[in-house]
Amino acid sequence: MTVDLFEVLEATWPPVARVTKGVVTYRDGGGGGNRVSATTVSPGFEATDLDRLDQGPGGGAAPVMIRGARDAALDLALTARGYGIRDATLFYAAPCKDLARPIPPLAGILSDGPLAALNEVWTEGGIGAERQAIMARAVGPKSWILGRHRDKAAGAAFVALYQDTAMLHAIEVRPTERRNGVASALVARAATWAQSKDATTLILAVTEANTGARSAYASLGMTVVGNYHYRTQPGPPLI
């Protein structure tokens, strides 16, 4: 893939605001979790830049995102400073044409805005109002997807487009509905929507520890195309 995965990530799952000071970019995630709150550091940093990592807009020590090989030197430097590792994550991707497939119309309902049933599924799964607000902030083509099984709400997902790449976020399937094909239906509906917007690739991010989801995405033909993790300062991070 030639697209910058992290540009896609930020465009489709945007923070409230971002401020760049030299080589350091701070983000205000509005309480929406690490992806929108993480600090990033460009190559060419100096020790004094790392000394000021806690001087973001909120004054808190947000996690630092290590964006694969490009941040290898940063990873080593933060390790030497006692930073811990958190949430190793993989990007999975596949061509939209390979993921799109016919599914029953009610198995994955597209919406131009959040439905009450979507909010219920997400809230039950720990995806609260702060993360749902991220979806509203995303600009450009986007869609909410309600997964259904046996005539009831079974799953939820959000998909948004950046250039020719769509990214699927907030995939949640109710525990009682897992292993019923709900996740694969959400992916298929997202890929079909993305194709209708002239996207060529669908990507998503999943933690390395989530072996069940990783196996499911691999079974659909999705492959690992990138990775990231966070480094956190000694003590609990403030996000």
Side-chain angles (χ1 to χ4, degrees):
M1 295 179 66
T2 57
V3 66
D4 188 316
L5 296 169
F6 297 97
E7 287 186 10
V8 179
L9 177 63
E10 183 145 347
T12 60
W13 199 248
V16 174
R18 51 181 282 169
V19 176
T20 299
K21 299 179 181 179
V23 297
V24 181
T25 298
Y26 304 96
R27 291 170 179 81
D28 174 3
N34 289 338
R35 286 188 191 177
V36 287
S37 303
T39 296
T40 50
V41 182
S42 299
F45 63 87
E46 298 180 357
T48 52
D49 297 311
L50 304 187
D51 292 339
R52 296 191 296 266
L53 286 179
D54 63 351
Q55 296 179 14
V64 179
M65 179 181 278
I66 304 298
R67 299 161 296 180
R70 77 172 68 173
D71 288 334
L74 175 64
D75 201 25
L76 288 174
L78 295 182
T79 300
R81 287 171 173 249
Y83 279 58
I85 191 169
R86 181 174 178 179
D87 294 343
T89 301
L90 302 171
F91 286 106
Y92 276 76
C96 293
K97 62 181 179 60
D98 294 344
L99 296 172
R101 60 180 175 82
I103 61 173
L106 293 181
I109 301 172
L110 293 172
S111 172
D112 292 331
L115 304 171
L118 285 167
N119 293 340
E120 289 177 7
V121 173
W122 277 322
T123 299
E124 288 175 9
I127 300 173
E130 294 85 358
R131 293 187 183 183
Q132 293 176 38
I134 299 170
M135 306 173 201
R137 288 198 299 269
V139 298
K142 59 185 176 181
S143 186
W144 288 254
I145 310 173
L146 174 65
R148 291 176 59 83
H149 184 249
R150 297 195 183 105
D151 200 32
K152 61 181 179 181
F158 172 76
V159 61
L161 186 67
Y162 176 72
Q163 297 181 1
D164 65 351
T165 301
M167 187 160 188
L168 193 56
H169 296 275
I171 305 169
E172 183 66 32
V173 178
R174 280 178 161 151
T176 56
E177 299 297 335
R178 291 171 186 169
R179 301 185 184 278
N180 288 328
V182 177
S184 63
L186 291 170
V187 172
R189 185 65 83 213
T192 301
W193 172 88
Q195 274 194 310
S196 75
K197 302 299 181 182
D198 298 323
T200 59
T201 304
L202 180 72
I203 66 174
L204 55 84
V206 59
T207 59
E208 286 188 11
N210 193 346
T211 55
R214 289 175 55 195
S215 177
Y217 300 139
S219 72
L220 297 175
M222 304 187 80
T223 58
V224 176
V225 294
N227 65 283
Y228 66 88
H229 60 269
Y230 303 100
R231 285 288 176 184
T232 58
Q233 292 190 25
L238 302 176
I239 59 174

